[in-house]
Amino acid sequence: MKTRPRTALPSGMRSLLRGLYVILDPAVHSTGSLVDLLKEAADHGARLFQYRDKTATMKDAYRLGLTLKLASADAGALLIVNDRCDLAIAIDADGVHVGQKDLPLEHARRLLGDDKILGISTHTPEQLTAAAAMRPDYIAYGPIFSTHTKSDHAAIVGVEGLRAVRRLSSLPLFAIGGISVESVEAIRDAGADGVAVISAVTQAPDIGGAVEDFVRRLT
Ligand code: TZP
Ligand code: MG
């Protein structure tokens, strides 16, 4: 099915919905600051970030989220908040990423307005088709590979699973789950517009180098 993207999203934001999508999760980056990580990744070419924090109090998430949003704006990058529309509104984030168990897309859209990014995680062809009908700005699909980062993840879909869903929507499609620099080319060839990664960047011994590798292979 061809789903036309919405027209209200500023084109400068839309153009960043591809390539490397770095998810910043304090649980997966226990050493050093997430803000320094964002700055280093942005210095080496990352332009799309997500703040994912499953455990912080709202007050702490607000403080960290605001710092990340300011650093990201300084770098000309976008910051999207995982799960929480209230937090995204409070820090004026660029958007929200919801999962299958989060606020339904139409309600998230009502809260955020038309000029913010809304993305959604999907794990089966049926979920992807249903999500696409709700006109998000991008769709994530996975997990492509096995991952230690998300303990409650859905069944692994594999590169062939990704290839099979590409034709279901023309919206920007991000592959997620267990993706490393080595697998990027196969994922791109299967039709993804980008890759969303946590550990491959946040746990890399050389964060800037890892970002450059991803960006080079995705361009
Ligand atoms: N959703 C599906 S897999 C996953 C999420 C949030 C974790 C991705 O982390 P990693 O470390 O890139 O496998
Ligand atoms: Mg969620």
Side-chain angles (χ1 to χ4, degrees), residues 52 54 82-84 97-102 121 150:
R52 176 182 193 258
K54 299 287 187 186
N82 185 274
D83 294 346
R84 293 156 74 161
H97 180 94
V98 294
Q100 293 293 318
K101 295 178 185 164
D102 296 317
S121 285
K150 186 175 167 73

Side-chain angles (χ1 to χ4, degrees), residues 23 28 50 52 82 121 123 142-150 153 176-179 196-200:
I23 303 176
V28 188
Q50 182 186 120
R52 176 182 193 258
N82 185 274
S121 285
H123 316 294
I144 308 296
F145 304 113
S146 132
T147 174
H148 296 297
T149 307
K150 186 175 167 73
H153 67 72
I176 187 166
I179 295 168
V197 300
I198 307 183
S199 51

Side-chain angles (χ1 to χ4, degrees), residues 12-177:
M13 288 167 95
R14 189 187 309 288
S15 65
L16 295 180
L17 294 179
R18 55 184 297 282
L20 177 63
Y21 186 3
V22 179
I23 303 176
L24 305 167
D25 182 337
V28 188
H29 182 69
S30 39
T31 60
S33 104
L34 277 193
V35 179
D36 289 345
L37 199 162
L38 183 151
K39 287 181 182 165
E40 182 173 1
D43 278 350
H44 291 266
R47 288 292 173 273
L48 184 59
F49 294 95
Q50 182 186 120
Y51 173 38
R52 176 182 193 258
D53 196 334
K54 299 287 187 186
T55 57
T57 63
M58 190 56 161
K59 193 169 184 178
D60 287 345
Y62 170 73
R63 286 191 179 128
L64 178 52
L66 186 58
T67 317
L68 290 169
K69 161 66 187 164
L70 296 175
S72 144
D74 256 5
L78 299 178
L79 182 75
I80 292 171
V81 169
N82 185 274
D83 294 346
R84 293 156 74 161
C85 291
D86 50 356
L87 176 61
I89 292 167
I91 66 170
D92 193 27
D94 298 295
V96 167
H97 180 94
V98 294
Q100 293 293 318
K101 295 178 185 164
D102 296 317
L103 195 62
L105 271 177
E106 64 270 31
H107 298 296
R109 175 62 71 205
R110 275 222 305 271
L111 290 172
L112 287 179
D114 278 343
D115 57 353
K116 297 291 186 185
I117 295 163
L118 255 184
I120 182 165
S121 285
T122 62
H123 316 294
T124 64
E126 293 73 25
Q127 285 178 0
L128 191 147
T129 301
M134 303 309 296
R135 313 289 297 274
D137 298 295
Y138 72 84
I139 293 177
Y141 194 67
I144 308 296
F145 304 113
S146 132
T147 174
H148 296 297
T149 307
K150 186 175 167 73
S151 50
D152 61 343
H153 67 72
I156 290 158
V157 300
V159 175
E160 290 317 309
L162 174 67
R163 196 187 311 279
V165 297
R166 174 66 281 188
R167 64 182 173 77
L168 299 178
S169 165
S170 53
L171 288 167
L173 179 63
F174 286 90
I176 187 166

